[in-house]
């Protein structure tokens, strides 16, 4: 109770300070008026920074060790923070926007950007979200007599096993564990969020999510981008299905029917890289060995893997991560009985040098590259931490997701994989074969995410807009999955199931179209870094052979963009990086990067007479139970 009172008093003091500094009287000269606004905004930024720091600390407590006391404390803080935001939004209206500088106007506009909930709604939303994440993080699945706890363990099983019976048991068990108990809670979360954004003047939550990205006609833009990329995905899909069908002795995979969702080496069919040894059994011609085995032989602790991921950024001239990062992060699953949220994430605490990583990491290739992704977030946090609080975010959420993955592109090049010991120098290796194997490896990681992310978010946008009702959730989900990914459930599903809850970003209410845009932006960013290091197509070298490791020039250009935070529009940030006059989000660099693989896939699919089709229309089926049976 004492803590609650101190929180209330703290926020009341902050509210008093920001209220007392508003003095937009007509007698002020323009410069004096802007100076007053500057002082007021400075106080506002300090107040919001304090609230964000407190929120991050309490959120970290819930995610590392959820208790009823922690949830209550977080709920109280959220109510205070919403009250602060609402009060500041009202005070903002006292200022005449036309008299302010452009920077001040942008700050002011960000004060009224977000959901508005009353005390009861905030409490229900916090409790609902906490229960959803507890269901997800504490789910236990029994497969072949063994228990698997949480996302990380079941994901690793899906990546390792080649036994379709085991994969089916894992796939089904995870969805049974997290889906049905989450459905009603999810509907409640959507309803409350919609009430909050409607109070802020938006029609539904999808509208505010789309606006955050700053892209006009976003739905048309993503459709056009996918149309550019789809030919590559279709050829990759045809090759994967054809190869799996050719080696499948169980009849699970058919050469001209949609792929069952459980056979692609990943719980969500968004990363197919574990299939590489089966798709290319002669991949040993690359002169390498499985990266996971190399990592496990070289490193005895996950912390060492974090250091290797940091090393790439150090090579670009970035400073080492703060000491606090190493002492306060959670790298591996605790052994003290606590049940953390294990989904990998990076957190900014809006306090000097306090950034953290949360994972239940394992020494394997997947987590190794996940670390590079999260490093992108961490270094972005640190690069813009000098900005006023209202500008302490990425140029857009898509940019935040793209930074680390642009480094993953650099880390997955043949040159760097050889540097890491994943590939051996061998003059007898055919370099063209090596290039194809490596590009295929990357494409299996990167390309399936595009239709996956598009299908997920189009489904959720429709849910938020009320176009998909709770009694249609699962059917609509699998309609989207088939249309964009060409996959179907391996067993009949019904509306008693809630398969979307199998993905953390659904139950955590995290926008996902950012990952689609990021998948395209990251290659543009990588190309710009190659240009800065005088490599890539402009310097007569294929983009996929660009090695930026050790390029301080590339690092300087990247840091310049990161340091802007959200102080400038995303296209200005992209201009700083690319040096193009009017840059747009462009899928052509991605297609250029994979051109050698695309041509090889076209040739192989023709040679092997593989069916090229992803079966977009399932409207002929009257109910979702027909899906698995008919396909």
């Amino acid at each position: 109770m004492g803590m609650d009172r101190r929180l209330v008093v703290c926020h009341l003091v902050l509210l008093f300070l920001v209220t007392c500094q508003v003095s937009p009287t007509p007698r002020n000269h323009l410069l004096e008026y802007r100076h007053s606004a500057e002082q007021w905004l400075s106080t506002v930024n300090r107040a919001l920074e304090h609230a964000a720091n407190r929120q991050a600390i309490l959120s970290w407590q819930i995610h590392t060790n959820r208790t009823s006391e922690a949830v209550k404390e977080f709920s109280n803080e959220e109510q205070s923070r919403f009250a602060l935001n609402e009060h500041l939004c009202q005070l903002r209206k006292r200022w005449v926007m036309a008299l302010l500088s452009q920077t001040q106007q942008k700050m002011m506009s960000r004060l009224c950007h977000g959901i508005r909930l009353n005390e009861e709604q905030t409490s229900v939303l916090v409790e609902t979200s906490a229960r959803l994440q507890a269901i997800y993080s504490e789910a236990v699945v029994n497969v072949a007599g063994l228990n698997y706890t949480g996302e990380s363990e079941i994901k690793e099983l899906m990546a390792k096993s080649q036994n379709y019976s085991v994969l089916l048991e894992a796939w089904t068990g995870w969805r049974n564990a997290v889906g049905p108990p989450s459905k009603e809670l999810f509907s409640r979360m959507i309803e409350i969020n919609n009430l909050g954004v409607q109070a802020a003047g938006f029609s539904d939550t999808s509208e505010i999510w789309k606006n955050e990205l700053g892209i006009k006609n976003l739905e048309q833009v993503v459709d056009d981008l996918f149309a550019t990329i789809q030919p590559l995905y279709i050829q990759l899909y045809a090759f994967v299905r054809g190869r799996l069908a050719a080696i499948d002795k169980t009849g699970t995979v058919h050469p001209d029917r949609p792929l069952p969702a459980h056979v692609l080496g990943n719980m969500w069919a968004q990363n197919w890289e574990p299939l590489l040894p089966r798709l290319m059994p002669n991949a040993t011609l690359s002169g390498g060995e499985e990266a996971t085995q190399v990592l496990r032989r070289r490193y005895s602790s996950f912390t060492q893997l974090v250091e290797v991921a940091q090393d790439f950024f150090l090579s670009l001239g970035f400073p080492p991560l703060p000491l606090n990062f190493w002492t306060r992060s959670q790298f591996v699953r605790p052994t003290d009985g606590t049940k953390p949220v294990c989904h990998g994430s990076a957190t900014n605490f809006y306090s000097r040098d306090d950034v953290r990583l949360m994972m239940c990491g394992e020494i394997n290739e997947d987590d190794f590259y996940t670390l590079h992704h999260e490093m992108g977030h961490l270094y972005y946090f640190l690069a813009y931490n000098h900005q006023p609080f209202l500008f302490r975010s990425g140029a857009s959420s898509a940019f935040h997701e793209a930074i680390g993955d642009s480094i993953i592109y650099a880390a997955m090049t043949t040159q760097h994989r050889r540097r890491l010991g994943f590939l051996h120098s061998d003059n007898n290796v055919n370099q063209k074969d090596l290039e194809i194997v490596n590009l295929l490896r990357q494409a299996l990681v990167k390309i399936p995410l595009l239709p996956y992310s598009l299908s997920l978010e189009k489904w959720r946008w429709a849910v938020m807009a009320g176009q998909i009702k709770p009694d249609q959730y699962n059917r609509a989900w699998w309609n989207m999955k088939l249309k964009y990914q060409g996959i179907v459930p391996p067993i009949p599903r019904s509306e008693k199931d809630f398969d979307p809850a199998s993905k953390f970003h659904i139950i955590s209410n995290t926008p996902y179209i950012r990952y689609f845009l990021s998948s395209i932006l990251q290659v543009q960013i990588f190309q710009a870094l190659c240009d800065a290091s005088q490599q890539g197509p402009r310097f007569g070298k294929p983009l996929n052979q660009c090695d930026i490791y050790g390029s301080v020039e590339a690092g300087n250009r990247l840091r310049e963009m990161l340091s802007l935070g959200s102080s400038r529009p995303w296209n200005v940030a992209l201009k700083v990086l690319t040096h193009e006059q009017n840059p747009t989000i462009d899928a052509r660099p991605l297609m250029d990067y994979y051109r050698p693989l695309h041509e090889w896939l076209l040739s192989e699919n023709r040679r092997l007479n593989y069916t090229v089709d992803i079966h977009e229309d399932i409207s002929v089926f009257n109910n979702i139970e027909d899906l698995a049976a008919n396909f």
Side-chain angles (χ1 to χ4, degrees):
M1 188 63 180
M3 176 62 73
D4 291 347
R5 287 176 177 167
R6 288 196 295 273
L7 285 173
V8 171
V9 170
C10 179
H11 283 293
L12 286 175
V13 170
L14 291 170
L15 289 175
F16 174 77
L17 289 173
V18 298
T19 302
C20 290
Q21 294 198 30
V22 180
S23 55
T25 59
R27 65 182 176 81
N28 284 337
H29 183 274
L30 178 62
L31 292 179
E32 293 175 345
Y33 187 71
R34 290 182 176 178
H35 179 68
S36 296
E38 196 69 32
Q39 289 182 312
W40 185 76
L41 284 168
S42 177
T43 304
V44 165
N45 275 297
R46 289 196 300 272
L48 291 173
E49 179 182 314
H50 175 86
N53 172 250
R54 181 67 183 159
Q55 191 266 355
I57 291 171
L58 295 176
S59 177
W60 182 266
Q61 289 178 6
I62 290 176
H63 284 74
T64 53
N65 185 24
R66 179 182 179 269
T67 64
S68 58
E69 292 79 9
V71 171
K72 180 181 178 181
E73 195 174 5
F74 182 77
S75 179
N76 291 337
E77 176 62 27
E78 285 291 270
Q79 290 169 16
S80 298
R81 197 163 63 93
F82 279 133
L84 175 62
N85 290 340
E86 179 62 24
H87 188 74
L88 294 177
C89 180
Q90 294 303 316
L91 290 179
R92 190 209 74 169
K93 297 175 182 177
R94 301 186 185 185
W95 296 94
V96 181
M97 296 290 279
L99 297 179
L100 302 177
S101 70
Q102 288 187 349
T103 298
Q104 290 172 340
Q105 289 180 32
K106 185 167 186 178
M107 278 197 195
M108 293 283 190
S109 67
R110 295 176 74 86
L111 284 175
C112 294
H113 186 75
I115 67 174
R116 300 181 191 174
L117 299 173
N118 61 35
E119 183 175 330
E120 181 182 357
Q121 290 168 336
T122 301
S123 179
V124 173
L125 181 60
V126 169
E127 176 59 27
T128 301
S129 298
R131 287 177 62 190
L132 278 167
Q133 295 194 34
I135 290 168
Y136 192 92
S137 62
E138 297 172 14
V140 178
V141 180
N142 187 280
V143 182
L146 297 175
N147 284 339
Y148 296 83
T149 303
E151 174 191 293
S152 58
E153 291 186 6
I154 201 73
K155 185 173 76 170
E156 185 175 9
L157 173 64
M158 293 291 293
K160 283 182 175 181
S161 179
Q162 297 182 18
N163 184 318
Y164 285 165
S165 296
V166 169
L167 291 173
L168 178 60
E169 192 175 357
W171 187 95
T172 306
W174 177 251
R175 281 156 179 78
N176 290 345
V178 300
S182 298
K183 185 174 181 178
E184 184 178 342
L185 293 168
F186 172 82
S187 295
R188 185 185 307 163
M189 180 176 68
I190 294 294
E191 180 184 358
I192 297 173
N193 273 292
N194 274 346
L195 289 173
V197 300
Q198 286 161 6
F202 296 91
S203 60
D204 62 76
T205 307
S206 70
E207 185 180 354
I208 199 170
W209 283 11
K210 294 172 189 175
N211 283 1
E212 179 273 329
L213 292 161
I215 300 174
K216 294 181 179 178
N217 303 315
L218 177 63
E219 291 194 60
Q220 185 61 55
V221 168
V222 296
D223 285 342
D224 291 344
L225 289 168
F226 186 63
T228 301
I229 297 157
Q230 193 174 31
L232 172 59
Y233 177 69
I234 289 174
Q235 293 299 325
L236 180 67
Y237 177 97
F239 177 73
V240 168
R241 178 176 57 186
R243 284 291 302 143
L244 291 180
I247 62 177
D248 178 24
K249 306 300 183 185
T250 68
T252 302
V253 181
H254 196 280
D256 59 6
R257 293 179 183 172
L259 280 162
H262 68 308
V263 302
L264 292 161
N266 178 261
M267 176 56 70
W268 311 280
Q270 70 179 64
N271 177 350
W272 303 351
E273 195 269 343
L275 299 178
L276 183 65
R278 282 182 283 166
L279 301 176
M280 300 285 283
N282 296 322
T284 51
L285 58 83
S286 65
E289 60 182 300
E290 186 182 353
T292 294
Q293 299 307 315
V294 175
L295 293 170
R296 289 177 177 171
R297 189 173 66 250
R298 287 189 170 189
Y299 307 111
S300 58
S301 74
F302 193 77
T303 301
Q304 292 174 306
L305 236 60
V306 182
E307 292 170 345
V308 176
Q310 177 190 234
D311 174 69
F312 204 110
F313 286 85
L314 297 181
S315 83
L316 300 178
F318 284 84
L321 289 167
L323 180 62
N324 284 343
F325 167 78
W326 301 98
T327 57
R328 297 178 178 176
S329 293
Q330 175 192 288
F331 293 151
V332 298
R333 183 184 292 277
T335 57
D336 59 3
T338 57
K339 297 179 179 179
V341 174
C342 280
H343 183 85
S345 61
T347 301
N348 189 1
F349 282 75
Y350 303 99
S351 179
R352 182 176 178 83
D353 293 340
D354 193 353
V355 296
R356 305 181 200 176
L357 175 68
M358 180 180 295
M359 288 184 71
C360 294
E362 302 280 350
I363 299 178
N364 58 49
E365 184 176 21
D366 188 37
D367 281 359
F368 179 63
Y369 288 117
T370 295
L371 284 171
H372 288 73
H373 173 86
E374 301 303 340
M375 284 282 169
H377 289 301
L378 295 168
Y379 276 108
Y380 211 161
F381 296 152
L382 294 169
Y384 60 58
N385 257 356
H386 69 285
Q387 292 279 359
F389 175 83
L390 288 167
F391 291 154
R392 248 184 257 180
S393 57
S396 78
S397 57
F399 272 75
H400 232 305
E401 298 302 334
I403 302 306
D405 279 38
S406 67
I407 302 303
I408 290 179
Y409 265 100
M412 291 186 77
T413 60
T414 300
Q415 300 94 315
H416 195 65
R417 288 178 69 82
R418 183 174 286 119
R419 190 178 286 121
L420 292 168
F422 299 166
L423 299 173
H424 307 314
S425 298
D426 188 343
N427 294 330
N428 296 321
V429 172
N430 184 305
Q431 292 303 308
K432 186 174 181 180
D433 289 342
L434 179 59
E435 177 186 44
I436 294 301
V437 169
N438 204 40
L439 282 175
L440 179 59
R441 183 193 309 276
Q442 290 176 263
L444 292 169
V445 174
K446 296 290 188 179
I447 303 305
L449 180 62
L450 288 154
Y452 175 83
S453 55
L454 194 59
S455 65
L456 183 155
E457 204 69 310
K458 280 181 173 282
W459 174 85
R460 188 161 49 177
W461 285 343
V463 168
M464 290 171 168
Q467 298 164 0
I468 297 174
K469 308 298 182 185
D471 62 354
Q472 303 165 332
Y473 279 169
N474 233 33
R475 174 173 173 77
W477 176 261
W478 287 108
N479 268 290
M480 289 289 189
K481 292 289 144 188
L482 184 57
K483 179 178 180 179
Y484 290 100
Q485 288 185 268
I487 66 169
V488 292
I491 61 171
R493 310 301 284 163
S494 75
E495 292 303 334
K496 294 179 182 178
D497 303 301
F498 183 47
D499 295 329
S502 67
K503 185 64 176 174
F504 178 77
H505 298 74
I506 292 290
I507 59 93
S508 66
N509 206 40
T510 304
Y512 211 81
I513 201 65
R514 61 180 64 168
Y515 297 98
F516 176 88
L517 294 170
S518 163
S519 296
I520 297 162
L521 269 170
Q522 59 199 233
V523 190
Q524 283 185 268
I525 293 171
F526 177 64
Q527 180 174 273
L529 298 180
C530 289
D531 289 343
S533 59
Q534 297 189 344
Q535 297 185 63
R538 294 182 185 178
F539 298 90
K541 191 173 184 179
L543 185 58
N544 66 282
Q545 294 180 20
C546 170
D547 181 17
I548 66 168
Y549 182 84
S551 173
V552 176
E553 296 81 4
N556 287 340
R557 194 182 292 191
L558 181 59
R559 275 199 310 280
E560 184 181 2
M561 186 195 78
L562 299 183
S563 68
L564 294 175
S566 56
S567 67
R568 306 298 300 276
W570 67 264
N571 56 335
V572 174
L574 193 56
K575 181 179 179 179
V576 167
L577 185 72
T578 65
H579 290 185
E580 295 175 5
Q581 195 59 37
N582 296 298
T584 60
I585 299 178
D586 187 358
R588 288 175 297 179
L590 183 147
M591 295 301 287
D592 286 346
Y593 186 94
Y594 289 106
R595 179 175 289 112
L597 176 66
H598 192 188
E599 294 171 351
W600 182 84
L601 289 169
L602 284 164
S603 175
E604 281 296 285
N605 288 335
R606 281 196 298 264
R607 182 179 71 84
L608 297 168
N609 199 30
Y610 288 160
T611 301
V612 181
D613 180 8
I614 65 168
H615 296 269
E616 293 189 2
D617 186 12
I618 59 170
S619 59
V620 295
F621 296 103
N622 295 320
N623 56 70
I624 199 167
E625 287 87 345
D626 292 335
L627 278 172
N630 282 277
F631 284 118

